[in-house]
Amino acid sequence: MIDKHMERANYIITLYSMQAGKVNCDHEKALCKKAGVSIGKSARLFIYSYTTTEKGSLHEYSGDYDSKSLKTFCQEHLPRFSKRVDINQFSFPSNIIPNLPQVLLLSAKKDTPAMWRAVSGMFRSRLIFYDAEVLYF
C-alpha cells in the first residue's frame, strides 16, 4: 500500500519538476528525528519547498492520497518567483540586478502556469522571471 501511494506521489511530483523519495526511518533514524517523523508503517509525504524565498521549508501532506488532492498540494507549494505583470504597462526594469537576464512568459492562462513556476524556482538565481496574461479576441 505504501509503494502504491509513493508511486502516485512520484508521478504527480515529477509533473511539476519536484523530487520525491523514500526514507526508511529504521535505517535513517537521525534524519527522521530531525524532521520530527516517528517510525511507523504508514505512508507520509513531505515536500521541501522554495515558495518565495531562498530558504526552503518542509511541508507535510495530510490529505487524501488521491491524484487530485496530491496535485493540489504540489501546486500550492511550487515556487512563486515569477512576477505577474500587465503587458499593456510593462517595460523591463533596467536596474533590478546587474547582468541578470530577464524573461517574460506570455500566456493565455489566468494564473501563472505551473511549469513556469517550477522553472522560476530552478533558475531563480540566474534569471528574473515575469509572466503576463494575453487575451485573444
Side-chain angles (χ1 to χ4, degrees):
M1 186 71 138
I2 292 173
D3 286 336
K4 188 176 183 179
H5 293 315
M6 217 32 225
E7 235 176 76
R8 201 178 284 167
N10 267 329
Y11 171 73
I12 292 168
I13 288 169
T14 301
L15 290 176
Y16 296 105
S17 299
M18 297 176 171
Q19 295 180 354
K22 297 179 193 177
V23 175
N24 184 334
C25 286
D26 291 328
H27 297 102
E28 301 290 339
K29 291 179 182 176
L31 176 63
C32 291
K33 184 177 180 180
K34 183 178 178 182
V37 178
S38 60
I39 297 173
K41 296 292 180 190
S42 64
R44 295 176 73 183
L45 174 64
F46 294 86
I47 288 183
Y48 193 77
S49 173
Y50 292 91
T51 48
T52 57
T53 64
E54 290 296 318
K55 185 175 181 179
S57 56
L58 193 63
H59 302 275
E60 182 176 6
Y61 178 72
S62 59
D64 295 331
Y65 281 89
D66 61 276
S67 296
K68 185 176 180 181
S69 299
L70 285 166
K71 178 181 175 181
T72 300
F73 177 74
C74 290
Q75 285 179 325
E76 288 172 354
H77 291 90
L78 281 172
R80 296 182 186 272
F81 290 99
S82 182
K83 181 179 178 186
R84 182 50 76 110
V85 296
D86 180 353
I87 194 65
N88 295 321
Q89 302 173 359
F90 179 73
S91 64
F92 283 107
S94 59
N95 60 352
I96 294 279
I97 298 175
N99 301 323
L100 207 54
Q102 301 173 59
V103 292
L104 171 65
L105 173 71
L106 302 176
S107 171
K109 296 189 176 198
K110 183 178 179 180
D111 296 315
T112 304
M115 187 54 74
W116 190 250
R117 288 176 54 194
V119 170
S120 77
M122 291 171 20
F123 297 100
R124 67 189 177 279
S125 60
R126 296 185 210 162
L127 298 166
I128 299 172
F129 289 86
Y130 301 96
D131 63 278
E133 180 181 9
V134 179
L135 303 175
Y136 295 99
F137 296 95

